[in-house]
Amino acid sequence: MKVVIAGGGIGGLTTALALLRHGIEPIVLERAPQLTEVGAGVQIAANGTIVLRELGLEPALASIATVPSGFDYLELSTGRRLYYAPLGEEAAARYGALLYNVHRADLIDLLAKALPPGVVRLGAECESVSQDADGAWVTLKGGEVIRGDVVIGADGIHSAVRTALRGPEEKQFANILMWRSLIPAERLKGLDLPVAGNNWFGIGRNIVSYWVRKDLYSILASVPATEVSRESWTQSGDVNQLRRSFEGSEPTVQRMLDEVDSAFITGMYHRDPIENWAVGRIALLGDAAHAMVPYLAQGACQSIEDAWVLASCLDKHGKAGVQVALTEYEARRQPRTRRIQAGARYVVDWAHEPDEARVRQRNGRLKGLSRIDPLAEISWSFAWGHDILEAAKLPPGEVVGLSAAREGKRMARAESQRAFDLWKGVFTPDDVARGDRGQRAAYERFLLTQFPAPASTQVTPVDLDGVSALRVMAAGAGQSATVLHFHGGGYVLGSAQSSVEYASRLSRTLNGPCYTADYRLAPEHAYPAAIDDAFSAWRGLLATGVDPATVFLSGESSGGGLALALAAALRRAGLPLPAGVIAICPMTDLTLEGPSILANSGDDPAANRETLANLVASYFQGHEPTDPMVSPLFADLADLPPVYLAAVRGEVLESDTTRFAERAREAGADVTLNMVDDSVHVFTLFPFLPEAAATLEEVGLWGRKLLPK
């Protein structure tokens, strides 16, 4: 088999090496007259190092690269530490390999020298690509035709192969420009710049910097596009503009920028994910397939992963199965790169927050993450902890996509599969990239579109001691009981409006009105905003004259945790207790130490450890997550009213429910626990699920026994 590779960058050269390792002949066509790289540093995390090690290149990489001791996130104006992630040998033990920082030109040279003579052809510019049933070929400018069994476009964001397959496409501009510069070590004497990722974050701007050689320091400084008068990779910008953009920064930054004598400027671009990378015998790889912004530092590593999987698939299916191999390559790589692309855009969003309020929220989230993820393992394992060598041996359906669920995961019943797929599709890559704002809008869109309330439902806005709420009455419901409901969404998403349909079923179940509260959301309103609003809503409801002995607190997911935290604290606050608490799949431990959070990773499309960490850190921020008002698992549960708990075996928050039930029983509480099989997180939100109807029927029977006779 012969594979023609257009593009002699990191992706193209690694592909050639991986193909040779699998016994396949490559030829690399590079349009430049020599292999040189404009730019500066590149980071090779563990997931890339593992492949280079397999190709026998790690010793050579180690000889030209640096190994950062950690990632330091610092406040731009003061230098105050916001977050620190240890790396070096400590991270290598976690992820299976070291993370290296290297000059891009040095890495290109290393890869090229590892190839046999004649594999790379320079000055070979692709003009067109074609294929037939027997092969594929590239026609060079000048008319020469290079034939093979496969053509791979590894020719970057401006890919000629991609254009040939798909026609002209627009790149997406982030309205951010990046200054890139290299500073010799002798010019930085006296500055405290450890061999680490030294990163500063301010309002609308930041600096990512590290040593790429022992004697050479790399800086990437990004600023709003309006602050730079020209964009070019081939000309140096006016470094005085760079310095003006960082006026008022802490002294280390200003001194460092004073030593910049030239810098290249480039726009920050990406491409939206596409459905197909392969057409017949022609496929895309690296930036040609999934160009991404540099804020997860995964562009090179994802190209390296692509290379290994492509070579493995071609080797597996052989010359006669080329098209099957390319289809499998696409299926194995698309979900993962889509997730990485969206994650990188998300980091761009929070790294360039536009005002002081959003910066405070970002910094608060980082402070919260330092409490529950001090090693950055939750935050980075999805990228760095992926062993593509092992993953390539597993069935294609094992790949984890945007929702952090395995693509091949299947439920036992058609209706549970429907619910699984609905959860899986809640967030698009754009929603994820826009952070809490995008995800909040998507969550509302999902609930309101999929689960509209019946037209017969009565919905009345009310005020509960300063907390906005909706009084929801199902058609035919009486006045036997009252429900005070708190919606889910990780304290960041959700609203009273989007919970009306579920509230209407609670109203019908318990034969009375359901008040669903619009408690304040993070990150704009950190702890104790939500629990304060829960107390206010309780006081406001009692002020209407309702008998607390006829009231049930209710909540799902984080709302379930909020209801339980409120119930556990009412006696201490000198307030009357409700008749009971209904908590469906509650989040009770915001330290995220429940065993199911890791064990069930990949099986739950509604919740995953990485997303949960960002949500809960946005909520408690600088507060301690073990505070019982934050995590009711740690509360004194001796005075807890009767509790009805339900959760799903196999969901990420399963152990949040089961551990709370165990602790509550030990404290003497009356606990009913309903564990459901073959279902999804907060299954009661899905009215078409039989277990949702059965659970609410059981809740009705349970509740009626608790009401005054």
Side-chain angles (χ1 to χ4, degrees):
M1 196 189 310
K2 181 178 180 181
V3 177
V4 182
I5 304 163
I10 294 170
L13 295 174
T14 307
T15 299
L17 289 162
L19 289 168
L20 285 168
R21 179 63 180 271
H22 286 81
I24 299 169
E25 178 189 353
I27 180 168
V28 178
L29 307 176
E30 170 53 46
R31 67 179 182 176
Q34 55 185 353
L35 287 176
T36 58
E37 276 287 326
V38 178
V42 61
Q43 297 176 22
I44 303 298
N47 57 309
T49 301
I50 285 169
V51 177
L52 297 181
R53 177 191 297 163
E54 184 69 15
L55 295 172
L57 300 178
E58 189 178 7
L61 176 63
S63 71
I64 60 172
T66 66
V67 177
S69 59
F71 275 177
D72 216 353
Y73 293 179
L74 306 164
E75 191 173 59
L76 182 62
S77 60
T78 66
R80 180 174 62 92
R81 176 173 282 175
L82 301 171
Y83 187 69
Y84 181 80
L87 295 174
E89 293 292 347
E90 186 176 351
R94 290 196 298 277
Y95 304 118
L98 288 169
L99 184 149
Y100 293 96
N101 290 332
V102 62
H103 193 299
R104 189 177 293 268
D106 292 346
L107 179 59
I108 291 288
D109 185 60
L110 181 156
L111 296 170
K113 287 179 176 176
L115 289 167
V119 170
V120 179
R121 280 193 52 179
L122 300 174
E125 185 171 355
C126 172
E127 185 169 79
S128 66
V129 294
S130 303
Q131 61 180 314
D132 58 23
D134 300 317
W137 59 93
V138 171
T139 302
L140 303 179
K141 285 194 174 178
E144 184 182 358
V145 175
I146 311 295
R147 295 182 178 273
D149 299 290
V150 180
V151 168
I152 298 299
D155 46 346
I157 193 170
H158 302 290
S159 170
V161 176
R162 177 167 171 151
T163 300
L165 290 179
R166 300 176 55 83
E169 295 175 301
E170 289 294 320
K171 303 186 299 293
Q172 306 301 314
F173 182 41
N175 293 312
I176 294 167
L177 293 180
M178 299 178 293
W179 297 81
R180 298 174 186 262
S181 184
L182 294 167
I183 306 175
E186 63 266 18
R187 300 181 63 169
L188 297 172
K189 287 180 179 177
L191 276 183
D192 182 19
L193 295 171
V195 181
N198 304 307
N199 309 307
W200 289 266
F201 298 91
I203 299 174
R205 67 206 65 240
N206 62 76
I207 291 176
V208 174
S209 67
Y210 46 86
W211 294 95
V212 292
R213 298 175 187 154
K214 292 179 181 178
D215 61 350
L216 198 61
Y217 197 70
S218 172
I219 294 173
L220 186 152
S222 57
V223 300
T226 54
E227 295 183 12
V228 183
S229 59
R230 111 184 128 187
E231 176 200 344
S232 172
W233 271 102
T234 58
Q235 295 178 344
S236 177
D238 179 357
V239 294
N240 289 320
Q241 287 185 335
L242 167 61
R243 295 185 186 112
R244 281 196 295 272
S245 288
F246 288 89
E247 285 178 352
S249 300
E250 66 130 321
T252 299
V253 170
Q254 295 195 50
R255 164 76 196 286
M256 181 174 67
L257 296 182
D258 283 343
E259 299 303 325
V260 174
D261 56 11
S262 66
F264 293 103
I265 310 170
T266 183
M268 187 182 292
Y269 290 96
H270 68 92
R271 288 197 186 277
D272 292 331
I274 54 176
E275 290 303 316
N276 298 109
W277 295 358
V279 177
R281 293 173 172 269
I282 303 172
L284 304 174
L285 181 145
D287 281 355
H290 47 71
M292 58 187 68
V293 293
Y295 271 78
L296 283 182
Q298 276 289 304
C301 287
Q302 291 308 301
S303 296
I304 290 168
E305 287 187 9
D306 287 349
W308 186 262
V309 172
L310 174 70
S312 299
C313 289
L314 289 172
D315 181 38
K316 172 183 174 183
H317 293 285
K319 188 170 181 174
V322 161
Q323 296 185 50
V324 174
L326 294 183
T327 299
E328 181 178 327
Y329 155 71
E330 181 183 276
R332 287 181 176 277
R333 294 300 300 150
Q334 267 195 340
R336 174 157 169 78
T337 58
R338 186 169 296 197
R339 185 182 182 196
I340 298 287
Q341 277 181 294
R345 286 180 59 199
Y346 165 76
V347 177
V348 168
D349 194 56
W350 73 252
H352 297 85
E353 293 291 10
D355 54 56
E356 290 186 7
R358 291 292 302 184
V359 165
R360 281 195 301 272
Q361 294 159 26
R362 174 189 70 201
N363 294 352
R365 182 187 299 118
L366 287 171
K367 189 176 291 185
L369 283 171
S370 71
R371 300 285 201 279
I372 59 173
D373 191 20
L375 302 179
E377 194 272 334
I378 296 175
S379 301
W380 285 99
S381 62
F382 81 102
W384 299 347
H386 188 72
D387 186 339
I388 198 66
L389 305 179
E390 293 303 314
K393 300 173 186 176
L394 299 174
E398 292 298 300
V399 63
V400 171
L402 187 69
S403 70
R406 291 179 290 111
E407 291 295 301
K409 162 83 175 179
R410 292 295 178 267
M411 309 296 284
R413 299 170 298 146
E415 56 265 43
S416 52
Q417 186 64 49
R418 178 186 170 194
F420 182 96
D421 291 340
L422 284 171
W423 266 135
K424 189 176 173 184
V426 170
F427 302 119
T428 67
D430 269 346
D431 298 327
V432 173
R434 290 176 55 223
D436 50 81
R437 288 160 286 194
Q439 292 165 48
R440 191 175 289 168
Y443 194 70
E444 291 295 290
R445 181 176 68 235
F446 166 66
L447 292 176
L448 292 170
T449 301
Q450 294 294 333
F451 309 122
S456 58
T457 305
Q458 295 180 14
V459 181
T460 308
V462 296
D463 180 276
L464 297 177
D465 194 23
V467 177
S468 296
L470 296 175
R471 184 180 187 273
V472 180
M473 282 288 285
Q479 298 290 335
S480 299
T482 300
V483 182
L484 177 58
H485 179 68
F486 302 102
H487 65 79
Y491 296 99
V492 174
L493 317 177
S495 70
Q497 184 62 48
S498 60
S499 62
V500 165
E501 192 281 331
Y502 182 49
S504 71
R505 285 186 283 130
L506 288 170
S507 169
R508 186 168 59 250
T509 294
L510 290 161
N511 193 33
C514 177
Y515 291 78
T516 176
D518 251 332
Y519 58 90
R520 288 169 291 170
L521 298 178
E524 298 92 333
H525 305 286
Y527 175 87
I531 190 67
D532 282 352
D533 285 355
F535 269 104
S536 293
W538 178 244
R539 289 188 176 96
L541 186 60
L542 297 187
T544 67
V546 68
D547 180 358
T550 65
V551 177
F552 293 90
L553 299 179
S554 167
E556 23 86 20
S557 196
S558 57
L562 187 57
L564 292 169
L566 174 63
L570 285 174
R571 185 78 77 192
R572 189 170 66 252
L575 294 171
L577 298 180
V581 185
I582 306 153
I584 308 297
C585 308
M587 180 190 296
T588 66
D589 180 7
L590 275 64
T591 69
L592 303 185
E593 292 182 351
S596 63
I597 288 179
L598 184 59
N600 296 340
S601 177
D603 288 327
D604 186 345
N608 63 79
R609 194 167 58 138
E610 174 200 346
T611 299
L612 286 175
N614 275 296
L615 291 173
V616 301
S618 295
Y619 174 52
F620 60 75
Q621 296 192 15
H623 201 72
E624 289 302 325
T626 54
D627 186 322
M629 303 283 267
V630 173
S631 299
L633 180 69
F634 304 108
D636 180 354
L637 304 178
D639 294 323
L640 198 68
V643 177
Y644 183 96
L645 299 170
V648 175
R649 291 186 182 90
E651 70 163 307
V652 164
L653 290 178
E654 175 186 353
S655 56
D656 272 45
T657 303
T658 55
R659 287 183 300 149
F660 186 90
E662 182 180 356
R663 285 208 65 244
R665 283 171 175 158
E666 289 173 352
D670 178 359
V671 177
T672 299
L673 176 61
N674 173 22
M675 296 300 295
V676 176
D677 292 309
D678 188 45
S679 198
V680 295
H681 179 58
V682 197
F683 61 94
T684 52
L685 289 182
F686 298 80
F688 58 81
L689 289 175
E691 58 269 31
T695 295
L696 288 187
E697 182 178 352
E698 189 175 304
V699 164
L701 293 171
W702 169 84
R704 284 193 286 276
K705 294 176 182 177
L706 298 174
L707 292 173
K709 304 302 183 193

